[in-house]
Amino acid sequence: MRVRINRLIIACALLCVASLRVASAATPPDDENSTKPTAPRPTKPEKGEKPPKDEPIVWSDHVTAGPAVTIKLKRNVGKPLIYQGSLDRSQESTNTYHETDTFFLNVLCADRADGLDLIAVWRTYVDRKRVERLANGKEIKPALPNSNDLINLGPNYSIVGSLKCYRYDDFNRLAYRSEQRLTIKDGRKLYGTVLKEEGDNVTFLTATDKVEIPKAEIESTKIIPYPHVCLNETPHYFFPIFSARAVSPGDTWKFKVPVIIPVDQPAGGVLPTQFDINYVGRLRDVRTVGGSQLATVDYQVSGAFDSQDPECAERFAPEALQNNRIVHRVTGSGSCTVDLDKGRILEKNEVINVTLYGHALIPQGNENKPKEEENKASITSRYEYKLLAPGTKLLSGAVVPEYDEH
């Protein structure tokens, strides 16, 4: 299915968008009958695997030799973890801003099903400051409310009671739903689920119909994930990801996480700009502190969407590609400390960089030369948090509860 764009909506305008409308011409609506959520796809998880030579990874901290360990989180259902955190985010573009926030996070494992923890993250702002500078030089200091919000990562959620929860496995991999795409030899693409295969036919269920398709007419079948929304602070809830195998200091592991930075279409819905963020993790060290075994994990992330890339270009009509270009790029790095005995993240610091680029030729009519529009934005987001000790008294007067079962 190809998307026709009458006019490009520049990606930089999306910085204030709060949520993704799931249904669109190119991305089918979230279907509860689609494939069960799965964890991000590992890529060659053999022990000691290193990143490809054409993508060199440079680590700033030295490795300290130590034992092989398995880093596995242990979340107790109904027991919240309370973190104190901060965010420092800035944008460089025609309009710029700098925002600093402090907050508390209540991370609750509301339930466990199919081997996955259903996690709701409730953020309570304590202090927020933002300075905006417009293209005309005017400076604005908006009053930002100290709101209480459930973190929204897009369509891959499940409802537990009144909570919107996202599914994580024991290695902190954020699960996603997926569906199948059948490419027919005549060029059509169908999205949905294969119900059955009998003889020479395939029965395929789409969002609106059930169709019988001769196998001889099918060119290919591909699993398409529903991407997580990568917008504002949401990428800070995708990482870290740990290896499912035992690793020694210096070992690395890799995963791909499907994401989308949503771009609205004038006619409604969003453009099919999903891409994978490539994650590389590395165990830096394992040490004993106060009788507990602690692991330090470093990681780096990178990924890009470019509408002119051949794999992305097939999602659009030729005339759209001729007049428009969209580029989204994500890079970043972080580190965290994990208590291996208790199975929880103690602290994390992370920097995510997002680059947005949009170029369009706008028809002017009457044989006039098309108007060229180009927007760029670079956003840098520094995020950190630390687990508060049980018994800590919060500003509200509440006391941090015990985390462990007794």
Side-chain angles (χ1 to χ4, degrees), residues 216-290:
E217 296 181 7
I218 299 175
E219 182 176 301
S220 63
T221 303
K222 185 176 181 179
I223 299 296
I224 304 296
Y226 287 144
H228 307 301
V229 173
C230 184
L231 190 68
N232 295 330
E233 80 274 27
T234 64
H236 294 299
Y237 299 93
F238 300 160
F239 315 113
I241 299 173
F242 306 118
S243 176
R245 58 188 169 87
V247 290
S248 299
D251 285 349
T252 62
W253 56 94
K254 299 192 291 183
F255 287 94
K256 294 181 181 294
V257 181
V259 301
I260 187 170
I261 299 175
V263 179
D264 287 333
Q265 296 185 79
V270 296
L271 296 179
T273 55
Q274 60 266 30
F275 62 98
D276 284 339
I277 292 180
N278 301 296
Y279 172 97
V280 181
R282 181 196 68 160
L283 179 60
R284 186 200 307 176
D285 61 40
V286 179
R287 62 193 189 280
T288 300
V289 177

Side-chain angles (χ1 to χ4, degrees), residues 63-84:
V63 168
T64 301
V69 295
T70 300
I71 305 172
K72 186 175 182 179
L73 300 185
K74 306 169 187 175
R75 305 180 181 98
N76 297 319
V77 175
K79 288 279 190 178
L81 298 175
I82 309 299
Y83 292 87
Q84 185 172 16

Side-chain angles (χ1 to χ4, degrees), residues 1 17 48 52 59 65 73 138 145 171 210 215 230 258 381 391 402:
M1 183 180 297
V17 176
W59 305 99
L73 300 185
K138 183 179 180 180
F171 308 101
K210 184 169 69 173
K215 291 182 180 179
C230 184
S381 184
E402 290 290 335

Side-chain angles (χ1 to χ4, degrees), residues 14-216:
L14 290 167
L15 299 176
C16 296
V17 176
S19 62
L20 165 68
R21 289 191 292 275
V22 179
S24 72
T27 306
D30 189 5
D31 182 356
E32 291 298 332
N33 294 319
S34 63
T35 307
K36 289 194 302 183
T38 56
R41 307 179 297 286
T43 57
K44 296 182 180 179
E46 291 83 6
K47 185 174 182 179
E49 181 192 24
K50 298 297 187 294
K53 291 183 179 179
D54 59 347
E55 296 180 7
I57 297 293
V58 178
W59 305 99
S60 59
D61 294 284
H62 295 292
V63 168
T64 301
V69 295
T70 300
I71 305 172
K72 186 175 182 179
L73 300 185
K74 306 169 187 175
R75 305 180 181 98
N76 297 319
V77 175
K79 288 279 190 178
L81 298 175
I82 309 299
Y83 292 87
Q84 185 172 16
S86 65
L87 174 70
D88 186 309
R89 184 169 60 227
S90 60
Q91 172 183 305
E92 295 298 325
S93 183
T94 304
N95 300 319
T96 67
Y97 74 81
H98 180 221
E99 179 175 340
T100 57
D101 304 324
T102 57
F103 54 83
F104 292 108
L105 290 180
N106 184 327
V107 182
L108 175 67
C109 180
D111 199 359
R112 184 172 176 85
D114 300 322
L116 299 172
D117 293 326
L118 281 75
I119 305 297
V121 181
W122 189 270
R123 180 193 54 219
T124 301
Y125 284 115
V126 176
D127 184 59
R128 306 180 70 188
K129 293 181 175 65
R130 181 178 172 115
V131 178
E132 301 175 0
R133 184 167 286 106
L134 306 183
N136 60 12
K138 183 179 180 180
E139 187 174 280
I140 300 174
K141 296 182 180 180
L144 302 179
N146 288 334
S147 57
N148 301 293
D149 309 290
L150 273 174
I151 299 300
N152 182 4
L153 305 179
N156 294 300
Y157 64 86
S158 300
I159 298 296
V160 179
S162 60
L163 297 176
K164 179 181 289 188
C165 298
Y166 292 88
R167 299 186 180 218
Y168 291 80
D169 71 3
D170 294 340
F171 308 101
N172 213 44
R173 297 179 294 184
L174 176 59
Y176 56 84
R177 290 184 174 87
S178 62
E179 64 179 356
Q180 293 169 294
R181 184 186 72 191
L182 291 188
T183 300
I184 311 303
K185 291 181 179 179
D186 62 9
R188 290 179 297 146
K189 290 182 172 61
L190 302 179
Y191 295 84
T193 304
V194 173
L195 293 182
K196 62 180 179 179
E197 297 184 36
E198 288 185 349
D200 296 329
N201 293 321
V202 170
T203 303
F204 194 75
L205 179 66
T206 70
T208 59
D209 200 6
K210 184 169 69 173
V211 293
E212 298 284 340
I213 306 170
K215 291 182 180 179

Side-chain angles (χ1 to χ4, degrees), residues 83 287 335-338 345-349 385-387:
Y83 292 87
R287 62 193 189 280
S335 63
C336 66
T337 301
V338 184
I345 298 173
L346 300 181
E347 59 183 354
K348 155 180 146 169
N349 61 80
Y385 63 62
K386 187 173 184 178
L387 184 67

